[in-house]
Amino acid sequence: MTDTLTFDSLTVPMQALRLLAVDFPHLPVPDIDLTRIYPDRLTLCFHDGLDVFEAWREALGVPPDAVTYAVQSEGKTRVLKASTVYAGAEVHLRGFTDVATDGGTA
């Protein structure tokens, strides 16, 4: 039998989320993911353009060289990823946008 986690197990990322709302109320709202699988993790996803990802990256002090870039969905979607620790929680940033179909490069 596995141990059942309680709601209290998510205290660290929930407190981090609360502080993010207080510290950065001017930034766009991301999609937010909390999971009992990784109880110390808070994931913020951005689907409204990579400029939103960049605003959050900069606000959290994540250096540009700590960002990874990938393409998924058969080359149709750009993905930026970065991670940091904020208020004791692992905060993962994920940014998604369509790859330009006008002949531009990724």
XYZ file of all heavy atoms in Angstrom:
814
model
N 0.835 -1.176 0.000
C 0.000 0.000 0.000
C 0.888 1.249 0.000
O 1.841 1.334 0.760
C -0.916 -0.019 1.218
C -1.830 1.150 1.301
S -2.930 0.919 2.716
C -4.144 2.097 2.293
N 0.577 2.211 -0.838
C 1.369 3.433 -0.907
C 0.819 4.458 0.069
O -0.349 4.428 0.443
C 1.334 4.025 -2.332
O -0.016 4.331 -2.659
C 1.920 3.064 -3.340
N 1.690 5.357 0.491
C 1.259 6.431 1.372
C 0.387 7.411 0.595
O 0.725 7.793 -0.529
C 2.466 7.171 1.936
C 3.271 6.326 2.900
O 2.683 5.417 3.523
O 4.483 6.566 3.027
N -0.702 7.805 1.214
C -1.586 8.781 0.600
C -1.113 10.175 0.991
O -0.937 10.464 2.177
C -3.037 8.578 1.082
O -3.439 7.260 0.729
C -3.961 9.586 0.437
N -0.901 11.021 0.001
C -0.508 12.393 0.281
C -1.739 13.182 0.699
O -2.837 12.944 0.212
C 0.110 13.036 -0.958
C 1.429 12.456 -1.443
C 1.891 13.180 -2.694
C 2.501 12.561 -0.372
N -1.523 14.117 1.579
C -2.600 15.011 1.981
C -2.443 16.340 1.244
O -1.399 16.617 0.641
C -2.568 15.261 3.494
O -1.337 15.913 3.820
C -2.689 13.946 4.260
N -3.470 17.157 1.333
C -3.422 18.469 0.682
C -2.245 19.279 1.212
O -1.653 20.080 0.493
C -4.747 19.194 0.918
C -5.068 20.211 -0.122
C -5.212 19.859 -1.453
C -5.240 21.534 0.235
C -5.508 20.806 -2.409
C -5.536 22.489 -0.716
C -5.678 22.128 -2.041
N -1.886 19.030 2.438
C -0.750 19.708 3.054
C 0.554 19.430 2.312
O 1.498 20.214 2.384
C -0.642 19.272 4.524
C 0.415 20.047 5.275
O 0.357 21.297 5.269
O 1.300 19.400 5.867
N 0.610 18.332 1.572
C 1.815 17.974 0.816
C 2.135 18.989 -0.274
O 3.267 19.049 -0.752
C 1.652 16.593 0.192
O 1.412 15.625 1.173
N 1.139 19.779 -0.676
C 1.340 20.769 -1.740
C 1.550 22.181 -1.190
O 1.499 23.153 -1.945
C 0.147 20.753 -2.697
C -0.074 19.444 -3.452
C -1.339 19.537 -4.296
C 1.118 19.109 -4.318
N 1.828 22.285 0.088
C 1.984 23.594 0.718
C 3.079 24.431 0.061
O 2.884 25.619 -0.204
C 2.289 23.435 2.220
O 1.187 22.773 2.826
C 2.519 24.762 2.893
N 4.215 23.844 -0.230
C 5.345 24.616 -0.781
C 4.992 25.247 -2.131
O 5.126 26.463 -2.296
C 6.620 23.747 -0.861
C 7.725 24.472 -1.622
C 7.091 23.394 0.547
N 4.518 24.493 -3.130
C 4.202 25.158 -4.392
C 2.992 26.094 -4.296
O 2.929 27.101 -5.007
C 3.951 24.008 -5.363
C 3.603 22.848 -4.512
C 4.369 23.038 -3.236
N 2.046 25.791 -3.414
C 0.896 26.691 -3.270
C 1.320 28.012 -2.638
O 0.843 29.077 -3.040
C -0.217 26.017 -2.477
C -0.912 24.937 -3.276
S -2.448 24.329 -2.558
C -1.910 23.705 -0.983
N 2.232 27.964 -1.675
C 2.743 29.205 -1.097
C 3.541 29.999 -2.131
O 3.451 31.222 -2.184
C 3.594 28.910 0.133
C 2.775 28.497 1.326
C 3.621 28.156 2.544
O 4.809 27.858 2.439
N 3.002 28.194 3.703
N 4.302 29.289 -2.941
C 5.051 29.964 -4.006
C 4.089 30.643 -4.983
O 4.323 31.786 -5.396
C 5.947 28.975 -4.739
N 3.012 29.961 -5.325
C 2.015 30.547 -6.232
C 1.400 31.799 -5.613
O 1.233 32.818 -6.292
C 0.938 29.510 -6.550
C -0.170 29.956 -7.487
C 0.391 30.378 -8.840
C -1.181 28.822 -7.657
N 1.101 31.723 -4.344
C 0.536 32.891 -3.654
C 1.511 34.062 -3.704
O 1.124 35.203 -3.979
C 0.207 32.524 -2.219
C -0.414 33.649 -1.448
C -0.823 33.202 -0.068
N -1.475 34.304 0.607
C -1.391 34.527 1.894
N -0.716 33.693 2.655
N -2.001 35.543 2.441
N 2.789 33.797 -3.451
C 3.791 34.862 -3.503
C 3.972 35.412 -4.911
O 4.174 36.616 -5.091
C 5.121 34.365 -2.949
C 5.169 34.204 -1.436
C 6.472 33.549 -1.004
C 4.991 35.548 -0.750
N 3.899 34.554 -5.911
C 3.991 35.031 -7.294
C 2.869 36.020 -7.597
O 3.084 37.039 -8.257
C 3.932 33.855 -8.274
C 5.164 32.963 -8.339
C 4.885 31.733 -9.196
C 6.368 33.724 -8.873
N 1.672 35.710 -7.111
C 0.528 36.597 -7.339
C 0.734 37.952 -6.655
O 0.329 38.991 -7.184
C -0.750 35.937 -6.838
N 1.386 37.941 -5.506
C 1.650 39.182 -4.775
C 2.810 39.949 -5.406
O 2.746 41.165 -5.589
C 1.949 38.878 -3.284
C 2.457 40.108 -2.553
C 0.704 38.328 -2.607
N 3.881 39.244 -5.749
C 5.083 39.893 -6.269
C 4.969 40.339 -7.724
O 5.637 41.290 -8.124
C 6.287 38.953 -6.126
C 6.693 38.735 -4.678
O 6.256 39.514 -3.798
O 7.449 37.777 -4.416
N 4.161 39.636 -8.515
C 4.094 39.930 -9.952
C 2.655 40.043 -10.446
O 2.273 39.402 -11.435
C 4.824 38.834 -10.736
C 6.231 38.606 -10.256
C 6.572 37.447 -9.575
C 7.219 39.561 -10.461
C 7.863 37.234 -9.115
C 8.517 39.360 -10.011
C 8.840 38.194 -9.336
N 1.837 40.872 -9.818
C 0.430 40.960 -10.216
C 0.227 41.532 -11.621
O -0.823 41.324 -12.234
C -0.184 41.883 -9.162
C 0.955 42.754 -8.736
C 2.156 41.845 -8.775
N 1.231 42.199 -12.139
C 1.149 42.822 -13.455
C 1.441 41.848 -14.602
O 1.162 42.161 -15.758
C 2.138 43.985 -13.536
C 3.558 43.555 -13.319
N 4.046 43.209 -12.073
C 4.578 43.383 -14.196
C 5.315 42.852 -12.192
N 5.669 42.945 -13.469
N 1.974 40.681 -14.295
C 2.319 39.718 -15.354
C 1.097 38.900 -15.773
O 0.198 38.657 -14.962
C 3.441 38.793 -14.885
C 4.807 39.452 -14.721
C 5.821 38.439 -14.194
C 5.286 40.060 -16.026
N 1.077 38.459 -17.029
C -0.052 37.650 -17.511
C -0.188 36.338 -16.732
O 0.808 35.749 -16.299
C 0.308 37.366 -18.976
C 1.275 38.437 -19.347
C 2.040 38.757 -18.087
N -1.405 35.901 -16.571
C -1.693 34.657 -15.862
C -1.302 33.469 -16.739
O -1.743 33.366 -17.881
C -3.187 34.557 -15.498
C -3.494 33.219 -14.846
C -3.600 35.706 -14.606
N -0.492 32.561 -16.200
C -0.135 31.346 -16.947
C -1.144 30.236 -16.663
O -1.992 30.352 -15.777
C 1.221 30.982 -16.359
C 1.126 31.449 -14.934
C 0.284 32.693 -14.971
N -1.028 29.147 -17.413
C -1.682 27.911 -17.009
C -0.841 27.371 -15.862
O 0.389 27.373 -15.930
C -1.721 26.895 -18.151
C -2.639 27.338 -19.282
O -3.549 28.142 -19.033
O -2.428 26.879 -20.416
N -1.481 26.918 -14.816
C -0.792 26.512 -13.598
C -0.989 25.030 -13.364
O -2.111 24.529 -13.444
C -1.327 27.319 -12.398
C -1.069 28.812 -12.636
C -0.709 26.846 -11.100
C -1.875 29.718 -11.762
N 0.115 24.350 -13.057
C 0.054 22.920 -12.809
C 0.681 22.599 -11.460
O 1.843 22.915 -11.217
C 0.783 22.163 -13.921
C 0.702 20.654 -13.759
O -0.310 20.157 -13.231
O 1.663 19.974 -14.161
N -0.120 22.007 -10.603
C 0.338 21.436 -9.338
C -0.018 19.962 -9.402
O -1.107 19.603 -9.844
C -0.402 22.052 -8.155
C -0.158 23.518 -7.870
C -1.207 24.053 -6.919
C 1.225 23.713 -7.290
N 0.888 19.112 -8.965
C 0.609 17.690 -9.017
C 1.157 16.987 -7.793
O 2.220 17.344 -7.289
C 1.187 17.048 -10.299
O 0.970 15.642 -10.260
C 2.662 17.328 -10.457
N 0.428 15.995 -7.345
C 0.899 15.217 -6.201
C 2.067 14.318 -6.584
O 2.794 13.832 -5.725
C -0.237 14.408 -5.588
C -0.833 13.405 -6.505
C -2.118 12.825 -5.888
N -2.707 11.888 -6.821
C -2.777 10.593 -6.605
N -2.329 10.077 -5.489
N -3.313 9.809 -7.501
N 2.288 14.120 -7.868
C 3.417 13.310 -8.320
C 4.741 14.001 -7.983
O 5.705 13.366 -7.593
C 3.313 13.019 -9.827
C 2.044 12.206 -10.094
C 4.549 12.301 -10.337
C 1.678 12.067 -11.551
N 4.770 15.318 -8.159
C 5.945 16.136 -7.803
C 5.473 17.215 -6.832
O 5.220 18.354 -7.232
C 6.563 16.768 -9.052
C 6.999 15.769 -10.083
C 6.257 15.558 -11.239
C 8.157 15.026 -9.888
C 6.662 14.622 -12.185
C 8.565 14.093 -10.826
C 7.803 13.903 -11.969
O 8.213 12.983 -12.898
N 5.328 16.898 -5.562
C 4.684 17.813 -4.622
C 5.444 19.106 -4.322
O 4.866 20.011 -3.730
C 4.521 16.972 -3.354
C 5.522 15.884 -3.476
C 5.696 15.632 -4.932
N 6.689 19.227 -4.729
C 7.429 20.475 -4.527
C 7.518 21.313 -5.797
O 8.230 22.303 -5.834
C 8.847 20.179 -4.023
C 8.838 19.626 -2.617
O 7.904 19.931 -1.861
O 9.765 18.874 -2.272
N 6.793 20.924 -6.845
C 6.911 21.570 -8.149
C 5.676 22.404 -8.473
O 4.553 22.015 -8.221
C 7.096 20.514 -9.237
C 7.267 21.119 -10.631
C 7.399 20.063 -11.694
N 8.609 19.268 -11.485
C 8.962 18.247 -12.240
N 8.190 17.871 -13.248
N 10.070 17.584 -11.996
N 5.951 23.543 -9.089
C 4.921 24.418 -9.638
C 5.312 24.666 -11.091
O 6.426 25.122 -11.358
C 4.883 25.739 -8.861
C 4.015 26.855 -9.404
C 2.541 26.449 -9.373
C 4.233 28.124 -8.594
N 4.437 24.331 -12.005
C 4.732 24.536 -13.421
C 3.829 25.631 -13.972
O 2.615 25.603 -13.775
C 4.537 23.233 -14.225
O 5.391 22.222 -13.665
C 4.896 23.430 -15.691
N 4.449 26.586 -14.647
C 3.741 27.691 -15.273
C 3.907 27.559 -16.779
O 5.029 27.562 -17.288
C 4.308 29.031 -14.798
C 4.420 29.234 -13.286
C 5.068 30.583 -12.979
C 3.062 29.120 -12.623
N 2.795 27.413 -17.494
C 2.834 27.243 -18.949
C 2.242 28.458 -19.630
O 1.227 29.014 -19.194
C 2.059 25.992 -19.362
S 2.817 24.473 -18.790
N 2.870 28.825 -20.742
C 2.472 30.020 -21.488
C 2.197 29.635 -22.931
O 3.075 29.121 -23.621
C 3.588 31.064 -21.416
C 4.047 31.302 -20.013
C 5.155 30.635 -19.500
C 3.359 32.158 -19.186
C 5.575 30.833 -18.192
C 3.766 32.357 -17.875
C 4.881 31.695 -17.381
N 0.989 29.904 -23.374
C 0.573 29.573 -24.735
C 0.227 30.834 -25.536
O -0.282 30.729 -26.645
C -0.639 28.630 -24.698
C -0.365 27.335 -24.005
N 0.183 26.250 -24.647
C -0.531 26.966 -22.713
C 0.321 25.256 -23.789
N -0.095 25.671 -22.609
N 0.487 32.007 -24.950
C 0.097 33.263 -25.583
C 1.281 34.006 -26.179
O 1.261 35.227 -26.280
C -0.606 34.158 -24.564
C -1.889 33.542 -24.045
O -2.557 32.839 -24.821
O -2.206 33.749 -22.867
N 2.308 33.289 -26.555
C 3.484 33.915 -27.141
C 4.683 33.804 -26.221
O 4.555 33.779 -24.994
N 5.841 33.738 -26.818
C 7.059 33.568 -26.037
C 7.450 34.838 -25.292
O 8.243 34.787 -24.356
C 8.190 33.072 -26.930
C 7.939 31.695 -27.559
C 9.114 31.274 -28.417
C 7.628 30.639 -26.507
N 6.876 35.979 -25.668
C 7.147 37.208 -24.927
C 6.625 37.109 -23.498
O 7.221 37.646 -22.572
C 6.564 38.417 -25.650
C 5.071 38.300 -25.909
O 4.568 37.169 -26.104
O 4.403 39.345 -25.951
N 5.536 36.382 -23.296
C 4.997 36.171 -21.952
C 5.948 35.279 -21.149
O 6.251 35.554 -19.986
C 3.578 35.575 -22.011
C 3.044 35.310 -20.623
C 2.645 36.501 -22.784
N 6.436 34.214 -21.780
C 7.441 33.354 -21.151
C 8.640 34.203 -20.734
O 9.134 34.094 -19.609
C 7.878 32.258 -22.124
C 9.053 31.447 -21.652
C 8.868 30.266 -20.948
C 10.355 31.852 -21.922
C 9.957 29.509 -20.511
C 11.443 31.113 -21.486
C 11.242 29.931 -20.788
N 9.117 35.049 -21.642
C 10.292 35.874 -21.371
C 10.052 36.854 -20.228
O 10.946 37.103 -19.420
C 10.726 36.619 -22.632
C 11.447 35.729 -23.627
C 12.755 35.189 -23.053
O 13.537 35.956 -22.469
O 12.999 33.980 -23.192
N 8.856 37.414 -20.142
C 8.546 38.338 -19.043
C 8.637 37.620 -17.702
O 9.211 38.153 -16.742
C 7.156 38.932 -19.242
N 8.108 36.406 -17.628
C 8.189 35.628 -16.397
C 9.618 35.178 -16.118
O 10.071 35.210 -14.973
C 7.244 34.423 -16.463
C 5.862 34.781 -16.042
C 4.803 35.093 -16.858
C 5.379 34.878 -14.707
N 3.705 35.377 -16.097
C 4.029 35.248 -14.771
C 5.952 34.690 -13.462
C 3.242 35.434 -13.632
C 5.178 34.876 -12.325
C 3.840 35.241 -12.428
N 10.341 34.768 -17.147
C 11.736 34.355 -16.957
C 12.536 35.496 -16.355
O 13.273 35.311 -15.390
C 12.352 33.930 -18.295
C 13.819 33.494 -18.168
C 14.560 33.535 -19.477
N 14.588 34.836 -20.112
C 15.345 35.871 -19.720
N 16.132 35.786 -18.677
N 15.301 37.008 -20.381
N 12.370 36.666 -16.915
C 13.107 37.830 -16.433
C 12.686 38.188 -15.002
O 13.531 38.465 -14.155
C 12.861 39.012 -17.367
C 13.727 40.197 -17.064
C 13.562 41.289 -18.097
O 13.986 41.078 -19.252
O 13.001 42.341 -17.730
N 11.393 38.162 -14.728
C 10.898 38.496 -13.386
C 11.455 37.554 -12.331
O 11.760 37.976 -11.212
C 9.370 38.464 -13.378
N 11.606 36.292 -12.684
C 12.113 35.295 -11.736
C 13.638 35.219 -11.714
O 14.214 34.424 -10.967
C 11.518 33.919 -12.049
C 10.020 33.804 -11.768
C 9.476 32.477 -12.271
C 9.736 33.979 -10.279
N 14.288 36.027 -12.544
C 15.742 36.076 -12.534
C 16.426 34.867 -13.140
O 17.576 34.572 -12.807
N 15.747 34.184 -14.047
C 16.351 33.029 -14.711
C 17.238 33.555 -15.843
O 16.755 34.278 -16.722
C 15.277 32.077 -15.277
C 15.918 30.911 -16.010
C 14.357 31.580 -14.166
N 18.511 33.218 -15.854
C 19.398 33.711 -16.911
C 18.995 33.168 -18.283
O 18.542 32.015 -18.388
C 20.782 33.201 -16.528
C 20.643 32.457 -15.256
C 19.209 32.383 -14.884
N 19.152 33.976 -19.325
C 18.789 33.521 -20.676
C 19.491 32.225 -21.085
O 18.900 31.395 -21.778
C 19.219 34.679 -21.586
C 19.218 35.872 -20.693
C 19.610 35.365 -19.334
N 20.728 32.037 -20.641
C 21.448 30.822 -21.047
C 20.958 29.573 -20.312
O 21.389 28.465 -20.612
C 22.950 30.997 -20.891
C 23.399 31.261 -19.457
O 22.540 31.517 -18.579
O 24.620 31.223 -19.211
N 20.038 29.732 -19.362
C 19.449 28.586 -18.668
C 18.177 28.091 -19.361
O 17.572 27.122 -18.932
C 19.135 28.945 -17.223
N 17.795 28.754 -20.447
C 16.594 28.382 -21.197
C 16.966 27.369 -22.265
O 17.946 27.546 -22.991
C 15.939 29.623 -21.848
C 14.748 29.231 -22.704
C 15.534 30.625 -20.784
N 16.175 26.302 -22.364
C 16.375 25.335 -23.441
C 15.288 25.525 -24.481
O 14.185 25.977 -24.189
C 16.356 23.884 -22.926
O 15.083 23.605 -22.352
C 17.452 23.657 -21.901
N 15.632 25.164 -25.703
C 14.732 25.319 -26.840
C 14.533 23.968 -27.503
O 15.467 23.185 -27.634
C 15.347 26.302 -27.853
C 14.606 26.369 -29.159
C 13.477 27.160 -29.284
C 15.022 25.635 -30.261
C 12.785 27.230 -30.481
C 14.335 25.691 -31.461
C 13.221 26.489 -31.568
O 12.534 26.552 -32.746
N 13.298 23.708 -27.903
C 12.992 22.474 -28.625
C 11.833 22.746 -29.576
O 11.179 23.786 -29.505
C 12.624 21.356 -27.654
N 11.622 21.796 -30.461
C 10.484 21.842 -31.370
C 9.737 20.531 -31.195
O 10.347 19.470 -31.066
C 10.942 22.029 -32.837
C 9.758 22.050 -33.781
C 11.749 23.309 -32.979
N 8.419 20.600 -31.166
C 7.610 19.394 -31.016
C 6.458 19.431 -32.007
O 6.357 20.359 -32.802
C 7.093 19.255 -29.580
C 6.111 20.318 -29.160
C 5.693 20.180 -27.707
O 6.455 19.748 -26.855
N 4.463 20.563 -27.413
N 5.611 18.441 -31.954
C 4.450 18.336 -32.834
C 4.868 18.369 -34.301
O 4.369 19.174 -35.093
C 3.429 19.431 -32.534
O 2.973 19.353 -31.210
N 5.831 17.505 -34.614
C 6.336 17.384 -35.989
C 6.832 18.720 -36.538
O 6.602 19.078 -37.683
C 5.267 16.782 -36.892
C 4.859 15.379 -36.466
C 3.760 14.775 -37.314
O 3.252 15.439 -38.230
O 3.409 13.616 -37.037
N 7.519 19.478 -35.682
C 8.111 20.736 -36.105
C 7.160 21.909 -36.139
O 7.504 22.974 -36.636
N 5.978 21.770 -35.585
C 4.968 22.836 -35.652
C 4.943 23.746 -34.432
O 4.371 24.821 -34.484
C 3.582 22.228 -35.855
C 3.435 21.496 -37.167
C 2.065 20.875 -37.284
C 1.975 20.048 -38.561
N 0.702 19.338 -38.645
N 5.553 23.301 -33.330
C 5.467 24.073 -32.092
C 6.853 24.276 -31.495
O 7.599 23.327 -31.303
C 4.577 23.332 -31.056
O 3.298 23.095 -31.628
C 4.423 24.143 -29.789
N 7.175 25.532 -31.201
C 8.400 25.872 -30.489
C 8.132 25.740 -28.996
O 7.053 26.088 -28.516
C 8.811 27.312 -30.758
C 9.221 27.592 -32.157
C 9.572 29.047 -32.283
N 9.755 29.367 -33.687
C 10.063 30.559 -34.133
N 10.195 31.556 -33.301
N 10.231 30.759 -35.421
N 9.139 25.297 -28.263
C 9.000 25.142 -26.819
C 10.241 25.714 -26.136
O 11.362 25.354 -26.482
C 8.848 23.651 -26.423
C 8.662 23.527 -24.917
C 7.718 22.986 -27.172
N 10.022 26.603 -25.188
C 11.095 27.094 -24.332
C 10.855 26.541 -22.936
O 9.717 26.492 -22.466
C 11.101 28.624 -24.277
C 11.409 29.365 -25.564
C 11.416 30.869 -25.316
C 12.720 28.919 -26.169
N 11.940 26.137 -22.263
C 11.843 25.592 -20.914
C 12.921 26.213 -20.042
O 14.046 26.423 -20.497
C 12.040 24.076 -20.914
C 10.979 23.304 -21.658
C 11.277 21.815 -21.601
C 10.246 21.022 -22.379
N 10.543 19.569 -22.331
N 12.541 26.475 -18.806
C 13.496 26.967 -17.816
C 12.981 26.586 -16.439
O 11.786 26.368 -16.254
C 13.663 28.479 -17.931
N 13.889 26.506 -15.499
C 13.514 26.165 -14.132
C 14.305 27.021 -13.154
O 15.423 27.457 -13.438
C 13.804 24.688 -13.850
O 13.046 23.867 -14.699
N 13.698 27.235 -11.991
C 14.341 27.973 -10.918
C 13.700 27.550 -9.608
O 12.715 26.812 -9.605
C 14.219 29.503 -11.128
O 15.077 30.173 -10.214
C 12.791 29.987 -10.983
N 14.256 28.021 -8.523
C 13.648 27.812 -7.211
C 13.111 29.158 -6.756
O 13.803 30.178 -6.819
C 14.661 27.244 -6.199
C 14.046 27.174 -4.812
C 15.142 25.875 -6.642
N 11.862 29.148 -6.321
C 11.209 30.373 -5.853
C 10.406 30.021 -4.612
O 9.568 29.105 -4.654
C 10.307 30.944 -6.954
C 9.599 32.211 -6.563
C 10.238 33.435 -6.663
C 8.294 32.179 -6.105
C 9.591 34.602 -6.299
C 7.639 33.338 -5.741
C 8.292 34.548 -5.844
O 7.653 35.709 -5.484
N 10.687 30.690 -3.520
C 9.977 30.456 -2.262
C 9.995 28.982 -1.867
O 9.023 28.449 -1.351
C 8.546 30.978 -2.344
N 11.106 28.311 -2.159
C 11.270 26.920 -1.785
C 10.687 25.904 -2.743
O 10.861 24.704 -2.561
N 10.004 26.360 -3.780
C 9.393 25.448 -4.756
C 10.222 25.404 -6.029
O 10.831 26.401 -6.425
C 7.976 25.901 -5.092
N 10.234 24.242 -6.662
C 10.797 24.139 -8.006
C 9.769 24.763 -8.946
O 8.639 24.292 -9.023
C 10.972 22.685 -8.423
C 11.972 21.891 -7.681
C 11.978 20.448 -8.176
O 11.758 20.213 -9.387
O 12.164 19.562 -7.334
N 10.159 25.811 -9.631
C 9.245 26.463 -10.570
C 9.749 26.185 -11.977
O 10.888 26.515 -12.316
C 9.139 27.980 -10.314
C 8.221 28.630 -11.338
C 8.624 28.240 -8.900
N 8.907 25.554 -12.749
C 9.230 25.224 -14.137
C 8.412 26.123 -15.052
O 7.188 26.194 -14.922
C 8.920 23.752 -14.427
C 9.774 22.816 -13.644
N 10.856 22.172 -14.193
C 9.737 22.438 -12.343
C 11.432 21.426 -13.267
N 10.781 21.575 -12.131
N 9.102 26.801 -15.954
C 8.452 27.641 -16.946
C 8.447 26.894 -18.273
O 9.470 26.323 -18.663
C 9.210 28.962 -17.113
C 9.456 29.787 -15.856
C 10.314 30.997 -16.184
C 8.148 30.194 -15.229
N 7.316 26.904 -18.952
C 7.189 26.264 -20.257
C 6.460 27.227 -21.186
O 5.351 27.655 -20.893
C 6.377 24.964 -20.170
C 6.906 23.944 -19.176
C 8.224 23.345 -19.661
N 8.727 22.341 -18.747
C 9.716 22.529 -17.894
N 10.311 23.698 -17.812
N 10.146 21.557 -17.115
N 7.096 27.576 -22.298
C 6.482 28.467 -23.266
C 6.289 27.747 -24.594
O 7.174 27.032 -25.042
N 5.119 27.937 -25.193
C 4.776 27.272 -26.438
C 4.278 28.289 -27.455
O 3.525 29.198 -27.107
C 3.656 26.238 -26.208
C 3.982 25.216 -25.175
C 3.670 25.407 -23.838
C 4.617 24.027 -25.533
C 3.963 24.465 -22.872
C 4.927 23.073 -24.566
C 4.596 23.287 -23.245
N 4.691 28.116 -28.693
C 4.181 28.967 -29.773
C 4.312 28.203 -31.087
O 5.134 27.287 -31.216
C 4.916 30.316 -29.840
O 4.226 31.196 -30.721
C 6.351 30.153 -30.325
N 3.520 28.604 -32.061
C 3.598 27.983 -33.382
C 4.872 28.402 -34.075
O 5.318 29.552 -33.950
C 2.404 28.384 -34.250
C 1.094 27.839 -33.722
O 1.110 26.810 -33.022
O 0.047 28.429 -34.027
N 5.468 27.482 -34.808
C 6.619 27.802 -35.650
C 6.067 28.572 -36.851
O 5.023 28.249 -37.402
C 7.340 26.516 -36.106
C 8.408 26.825 -37.155
C 7.953 25.805 -34.911
N 6.779 29.614 -37.241
C 6.348 30.416 -38.391
C 6.183 29.554 -39.620
O 7.039 28.727 -39.932
C 7.354 31.536 -38.654
N 5.080 29.731 -40.310
C 4.827 28.971 -41.528
C 5.110 29.803 -42.776
O 4.844 29.364 -43.888
C 3.362 28.477 -41.565
O 2.500 29.616 -41.453
C 3.098 27.507 -40.453
N 5.664 31.001 -42.576
C 5.921 31.889 -43.710
C 7.340 31.754 -44.243
O 7.827 32.645 -44.928
C 5.651 33.340 -43.301
C 6.547 33.785 -42.153
O 7.360 32.999 -41.661
O 6.403 34.944 -41.753
N 7.988 30.651 -43.921
C 9.337 30.439 -44.422
C 10.403 30.905 -43.458
O 11.577 30.763 -43.703
N 9.981 31.469 -42.300
C 10.936 31.899 -41.289
C 11.589 30.692 -40.636
O 11.123 29.579 -40.760
N 12.685 30.959 -39.960
C 13.385 29.859 -39.286
C 13.008 29.841 -37.827
O 12.606 30.839 -37.252
C 14.910 30.038 -39.420
O 15.278 31.296 -38.867
C 15.328 29.942 -40.876
N 13.202 28.688 -37.215
C 12.875 28.531 -35.795
C 13.899 29.192 -34.928
O 15.006 29.408 -35.259
C 12.786 27.044 -35.455
